[in-house]
Amino acid sequence: MEEPVEIPTLVVLEFDFKELPTKQDISLNITAKITVGASDDQQILEDGKRTLSGRSSLEIEQIARDMVIQEFASAIEMITIEDINRNKMWFLNHCSDIIGKRLSLIGLHVLDIDIIDITDDSGWIERAGQRALAEAQRNKERN
């Protein structure tokens, strides 16, 4: 009989994603910290334990890391830079939902996503930020 598997309550995964394509084919470099942990849903937790039966803590963490890498890339590929800039909370929820669906297969869910930095090699994000700042300044001067 397999040893019982313990789904980790907290795993902090740090990433330095390079050249993640967006819907616009603009590649982003994203530094992020994504924290995952055992699901609050008992059924998901039990299903995850069965799926991971016989795996060590280190193996479970690596499986989670691989899933997050794949699903974060998928989440970014579905959106535009405007989506990211328009609403940070929507962006984080979008990524969390996409990643969370996959992690639920192993009894985990996303606890937190901390985006540390987003850049692109073409300077598109920087120019978009400058345009947004200029527009905000014009609006302030009008009022």
Side-chain angles (χ1 to χ4, degrees):
M1 188 166 137
E2 296 283 343
E3 296 247 347
V5 170
E6 193 61 39
I7 304 293
T9 55
L10 185 74
V11 178
V12 178
L13 304 167
E14 295 185 16
F15 299 97
D16 194 11
F17 296 105
K18 298 290 184 200
E19 299 183 13
L20 292 176
T22 64
K23 197 174 189 179
Q24 300 152 301
D25 287 329
I26 296 171
S27 293
L28 300 180
N29 304 311
I30 301 175
T31 305
K33 187 181 333 181
I34 301 175
T35 306
V36 302
S39 176
D40 296 334
D41 183 307
Q42 277 307 117
Q43 186 61 52
I44 289 174
L45 197 56
E46 291 306 314
D47 291 346
K49 286 179 180 182
R50 278 191 294 282
T51 300
L52 295 170
S53 180
R55 303 289 182 131
S56 71
S57 313
L58 200 55
E59 288 173 309
I60 293 170
E61 186 174 322
Q62 187 58 50
I63 291 167
R65 176 177 289 284
D66 292 345
M67 286 180 163
V68 170
I69 288 170
Q70 291 170 354
E71 298 311 312
F72 189 80
S74 294
I76 298 301
E77 197 170 28
M78 293 178 194
I79 60 176
T80 64
I81 291 175
E82 287 84 1
D83 293 332
I84 296 169
N85 286 334
R86 187 175 306 120
N87 185 324
K88 183 178 180 180
M89 189 54 66
W90 177 89
F91 168 61
L92 295 175
N93 286 337
H94 167 75
C95 292
S96 183
D97 289 347
I98 300 296
I99 296 166
K101 285 178 188 168
R102 182 85 182 277
L103 286 176
S104 68
L105 298 174
I106 59 168
L108 293 170
H109 69 148
V110 177
L111 296 170
D112 185 53
I113 297 179
D114 182 16
I115 302 298
I116 297 159
D117 191 29
I118 300 178
T119 61
D120 67 290
D121 293 337
S122 67
W124 203 97
I125 292 174
E126 188 175 324
R127 288 190 303 278
Q130 289 169 347
R131 286 191 301 270
L133 268 171
E135 185 177 322
Q137 186 63 35
R138 283 192 299 274
N139 290 339
K140 184 178 176 183
E141 289 170 1
R142 286 186 210 146
N143 295 331

